[in-house]
Structures are given as C-alpha cells and as structure tokens.
Amino acid sequence: MQSSLKKSLYLGLAALSFASVAAVSTTASAKSAAKVTSDKVLTTDATKRNVNLTGTNAIYTKPGTVKGAKVVATTTTAKNLNKSTTSHENFRAYRVAKTNRGSIYYKVVSYNKVYRGWVYGGKSATAFAGGLTSYDTFKEGTLTADQKTGTYKLANPGKTEAGLTYKQPAWTQYKIGKTIADTTAYKDATFSVDKVGTRTREGDTWVHVVNQNTADTKADGWILLSNLTQTNAFDEQSQVKVVIKDTDGNTIKEFNYTAPDAKGKDSDVTSDFYTTTPTNFSDTFNKAVQAQVSGTGYTVAGTDTVNQSAKVLTGSTLNLVARKGDTVSMKVQPWAVSATPDHAGTHLTLKTTDTPTTTATNYNTFVTASATMTTPFSGVEGQTFTSTDLVKNLTANKLNTLTSVKYAKVVTGEGDAATTTYVSPDTDVKTPGIVKDGDHVQLFQTVYTLSGGVPGTFAKDGIAQALYTANEVKTTASATTPDAGNGSLFG
C-alpha cells in the first residue's frame, strides 16, 4: 500500500513538474515574442509579386515569431508546394510586415485559396528571400513559322474549360480569369495566333488567339494549344510548303500551296508551279505568291533564276527569294476629316501654293503651316503604311497644326436650309447675312489639328492623305499667323 502510494506521488510530482516546465516555456516564449512594427499592403505591380515557396520556412497565421502564430503549412508542405505541377498552387504576395527584430514577413495566398498566411521573407523588403522567391508563372516564347501562318478553330467550343479563352493563361495571374463564359457562338470562327508561351508548372503550351473577323473580338484570348484545331495544317499528300525569304535569308512569308495535280506524297507537281516556255510561275501559283508579299515592299519573280526549281514534289518545301523594292518619297496632302472616320473630306490648300481670289467662298480651306516639312514621308515601293506611320512623320515635322487664313462668314437662309460661305475678310459690312461683331465684320480662323491619315501603299509619284480635325475660332484683323514654305513635300 505504501509502495503504491509512493509510486502515485512520484507520478503525480512528475506530471506536475512537466506541466510547470511547459508553463515556464510558454511564458518565456510569450515574453520573448517579436512584435510587428509595420504592416502594409503591397502596392507594386501585382504581376511582379508572384512567388514560390522555397520550403525553408513554414506558413503561419501571423508573422512566425509573433505571439499566437500558428502553422498553416509546415516546411514539408512548403517543399511539396515548391515542386507543385499545377498552376492552381502558384502564390501571390500582398502584404508585408516588419518586426522589432528587423525580420520581414510577407502575407501570401495560393491561387486556389487553400493556403493563406505569413512567410518569413528575409531582412529586406526590397526583394523576396527566406521562405519566398520571385516566380515566373508563365514564360512567353517565339511563334514557329507554322504557328505564324496557321489558322485555327476551337476544338471544344462551349462552356467547358477546354473551350474557353482567358485574359491570361489560366492560373498564371491571381484572379485573372476567362475572357468569355461561352464560346458556342464561335464554333465556326477562324482564329490566328499572335503569341505563344509555356506555363512554368505544367510545361504546357498556351497561345493567344485573335478572331480573323476583326469586328468581333470578344473571344480573343489565351487558350491551350491542344484545345485548337489547325485548319490549314500542312498536308504532305497534296501540298507543297512555300517559304519566301529575303536576300539575307530572313523568312518573310510561309504558306502551304495545294497542287491541283497531286496524286499523293512525292508526286511530281512541277507543272502546277511553272510554265516551260519561258520558265516562269504558272498563273495560279503566281497569284498565290503575289498575294503573300502584297504590302511588304518585296517582289518575287518567277523569271528570277534563283526561284526556278527543276522538280517540285508534294510534301516538299519550295524556297523562293524576294527582292526589296526601291525607296520612294510621297507628297502629303492635308485634308479636313469627313463625316466618315479615316476618310478625307475637303482638301486643304496651303496659302503658299495658292491664294484665294477675292470672290472665293472657301477661305476656311486655305491654310498656313508654321513649320516646313524637312523629313519626307518615305518607304519601300509597294509596302503598305498605316495612319500611325503618317502621323508619326508629320509629328516629327511639327505639322500637327494648320491654321486657316482669316475670313468672314455670310449666312443665308434659315434653319435646316441655312448655308454658310467663307469669304474674304475685306467683305463689306453691309453685305446681307454677314456675321458681325457690333458694327464691324466678325473675323474667323479655323485651326486644324492632325488626327490621323488614310492608310495606303508607298508608290512613286503617290500622294498620302493626312487628316485634320477642324475647330473654328474668332479672331481680329490685327492677329498674325506664321507661315512656312513647304515646297513639294507637303500641301
């Protein structure tokens, strides 16, 4: 009995001793716990705050050394997440805290929102360290020649994940989702590919597709390449791959040409490509080639010996050489914008080129330019130019603004039937319908501001049309407008 009592007392004292140690340990931990001295929301570019766990530090409910911090994910879990093969387990950092010990902690969340908490991030808030490292969730690549020329359809149009397009490759940016909820309406749409890349964790290929019907871009976005069907994939049984390169070996265009006389792979289809007397491209093939280089500033000739092949077989590649055209300069004419966007309305005449007669009624279209065009609008003959190209040139020449000569206005008729003529500033004040300022003729000027240009093709002796938007202002007889000569380049 005494022995049993001693044993019980011994066990009781041991348990009490263990509890006391634990209590002391907890108290010590609480007393030595760090304190947060700052806690801020990260405001840097969100895409630069994608991170990966290194596995050296756990995720906590609070900065790990702060009193009450509990483990959300152990270092073992963090190591497994570091090597995850699903982008759902990418992480984004969104807050940063500093303790009185100088330690930095970042609050992170996994893209699937399974894990959220604080991870030790080193001693500096300028870069991720410790338990975190910066992470590229997606790596953009280079389109292959086939992808550049390929046309595609959605393989699984509808509402499923496989049939949708995304604003960014799926799960590579936090809370950036699909571009459209249902692609059923695009089951017959044809798309081109303009970007390609690989998701880091899965290693799968994603492409950015653009609807060839540019009037409807709602479904444009990123999609897994395997969820597309290429409609113009090379058919070695009936086609020849045609590659057009410049004289330096750079690929300009690449396309698949279907030979009408094809009889399976390796069949001789030379007659579908060339005539024999003299040797030249066949009419049909020549039209296909010229359509490819149209607007590039390059020409491809069948009479060029470098482009003549003795034998062409289906399933093979035919290499052609394109030669660059001559550089030409075009005169630029200023036009007032019409009611139809990107189209010219009224030609504006430079005063230095032609002076309005005293009886003219379109004084508002005679303009002065405050700068002289010194850099010609030039390009390779046959190459297309855009509105942006023209605006860039005129901006460099400081021809963004044109100002009309001073004029008076005569208004005849009323309401919808009223008409306005723009007449000489010397018109008599007694003229019926003249616009007055008290007892005097009110004078006006129109300020024209560069707003665009009509797209076109560079051509010898060609004329480009620059578009200006009009704004009428009142002026006085004493006001002067600087005028610069522009020779044959502008006007």
Side-chain angles (χ1 to χ4, degrees):
M1 179 72 178
Q2 190 174 4
S3 174
S4 176
L5 179 60
K6 286 181 178 179
K7 187 175 182 180
S8 297
L9 286 170
Y10 174 77
L11 291 173
L13 287 170
L16 180 61
S17 175
F18 177 79
S20 299
V21 170
V24 169
S25 177
T26 301
T27 304
S29 176
K31 287 182 179 179
S32 62
K35 295 181 180 179
V36 173
T37 57
S38 70
D39 180 356
K40 300 177 182 178
V41 174
L42 290 169
T43 57
T44 53
D45 181 0
T47 63
K48 307 295 185 189
R49 291 189 270 110
N50 294 325
V51 292
N52 195 13
L53 304 176
T54 64
T56 59
N57 296 84
I59 304 176
Y60 295 90
T61 55
K62 298 178 181 181
T65 54
V66 172
K67 181 181 178 181
K70 297 179 181 178
V71 174
V72 173
T74 64
T75 54
T76 300
T77 299
K79 288 177 182 177
N80 292 333
L81 289 169
N82 169 270
K83 299 175 182 178
S84 174
T85 56
T86 172
S87 292
H88 291 66
E89 292 177 338
N90 285 325
F91 279 79
R92 170 69 57 80
Y94 64 98
R95 294 190 75 90
V96 60
K98 186 174 184 180
T99 70
N100 58 341
R101 297 175 181 173
S103 296
I104 299 296
Y105 285 83
Y106 291 97
K107 193 168 189 181
V108 299
V109 60
S110 61
Y111 281 19
N112 59 7
K113 299 181 182 179
V114 172
Y115 301 96
R116 186 188 295 271
W118 294 87
V119 181
Y120 174 68
K123 293 291 186 178
S124 171
T126 60
F128 297 114
L132 296 174
T133 183
S134 293
Y135 192 65
D136 291 328
T137 59
F138 180 78
K139 296 179 178 66
E140 195 161 326
T142 303
L143 291 169
T144 65
D146 194 45
Q147 289 168 342
K148 287 179 182 177
T149 59
T151 54
Y152 301 84
K153 287 192 174 182
L154 301 176
N156 308 286
K159 298 180 181 180
T160 64
E161 184 175 328
L164 301 180
T165 55
Y166 295 81
K167 296 175 183 177
Q168 294 291 336
W171 298 93
T172 60
Q173 295 298 338
Y174 187 59
K175 287 187 175 181
I176 304 296
K178 55 199 173 189
T179 57
I180 191 169
D182 187 355
T183 58
T184 303
Y186 297 88
K187 61 184 179 64
D188 296 319
T190 301
F191 294 87
S192 299
V193 167
D194 62 356
K195 296 177 186 177
V196 65
T198 304
R199 288 197 299 183
T200 306
R201 292 194 184 278
E202 292 86 351
D204 51 9
T205 301
W206 284 69
V207 291
H208 185 267
V209 294
V210 178
N211 193 347
Q212 293 189 336
N213 174 12
T214 55
D216 185 355
T217 61
K218 293 186 184 70
D220 290 6
W222 290 89
I223 189 170
L224 196 62
L225 180 60
S226 59
N227 289 333
L228 295 175
T229 300
Q230 187 171 351
T231 59
N232 66 337
F234 181 59
D235 181 5
E236 62 182 14
Q237 300 295 318
S238 63
Q239 293 182 325
V240 172
K241 186 179 291 294
V242 181
V243 179
I244 303 174
K245 298 184 178 183
D246 63 17
T247 53
D248 293 324
N250 301 308
T251 299
I252 299 168
K253 292 286 183 177
E254 184 175 310
F255 67 102
N256 301 326
Y257 184 76
T258 302
D261 294 332
K263 296 179 177 62
K265 188 177 185 299
D266 294 329
S267 58
D268 189 338
V269 289
T270 310
S271 61
D272 289 332
F273 289 78
Y274 297 99
T275 60
T276 54
T277 52
T279 300
N280 201 347
F281 292 145
S282 68
D283 289 343
T284 305
F285 180 58
N286 185 57
K287 288 178 182 177
V289 171
Q290 302 313 323
Q292 291 292 322
V293 296
S294 177
T296 64
Y298 286 87
T299 59
V300 182
T303 54
D304 194 334
T305 55
V306 75
N307 290 330
Q308 296 172 358
S309 179
K311 183 178 283 188
V312 182
L313 304 178
T314 51
S316 67
T317 298
L318 176 63
N319 291 299
L320 302 176
V321 174
R323 302 189 187 279
K324 199 155 191 168
D326 297 328
T327 299
V328 295
S329 296
M330 293 176 62
K331 181 176 182 178
V332 179
Q333 286 184 344
W335 289 71
V337 177
S338 70
T340 305
D342 298 327
H343 285 73
T346 305
H347 179 217
L348 303 176
T349 305
L350 259 66
K351 180 185 173 186
T352 52
T353 304
D354 191 9
T355 303
T357 65
T358 55
T359 58
T361 57
N362 61 337
Y363 266 69
N364 62 323
T365 65
F366 287 83
V367 297
T368 61
S370 59
T372 300
M373 189 172 192
T374 55
T375 303
F377 184 54
S378 304
V380 176
E381 188 169 16
Q383 184 176 17
T384 57
F385 62 83
T386 65
S387 171
T388 302
D389 295 329
L390 193 50
V391 169
K392 184 177 180 180
N393 175 270
L394 294 176
T395 300
N397 279 291
K398 299 181 180 179
L399 288 167
N400 301 73
T401 304
L402 306 176
T403 306
S404 77
V405 299
K406 289 185 280 289
Y407 57 85
K409 291 200 300 186
V410 174
V411 180
T412 56
E414 297 180 357
D416 293 339
T419 59
T420 302
T421 53
Y422 305 88
V423 297
S424 168
D426 298 324
T427 302
D428 194 301
V429 71
K430 296 178 182 179
T431 302
I434 196 162
V435 178
K436 300 178 183 179
D437 177 19
D439 295 330
H440 304 283
V441 173
Q442 174 64 64
L443 298 184
F444 298 87
Q445 284 182 298
T446 297
V447 177
Y448 294 93
T449 303
L450 181 64
S451 59
V454 179
T457 303
F458 285 105
K460 184 178 180 181
D461 300 324
I463 295 176
Q465 295 178 319
L467 304 180
Y468 289 79
T469 303
N471 179 42
E472 187 176 69
V473 296
K474 293 180 180 180
T475 189
T476 63
S478 61
T480 58
T481 302
D483 192 12
N486 268 281
S488 60
L489 296 179
F490 183 80

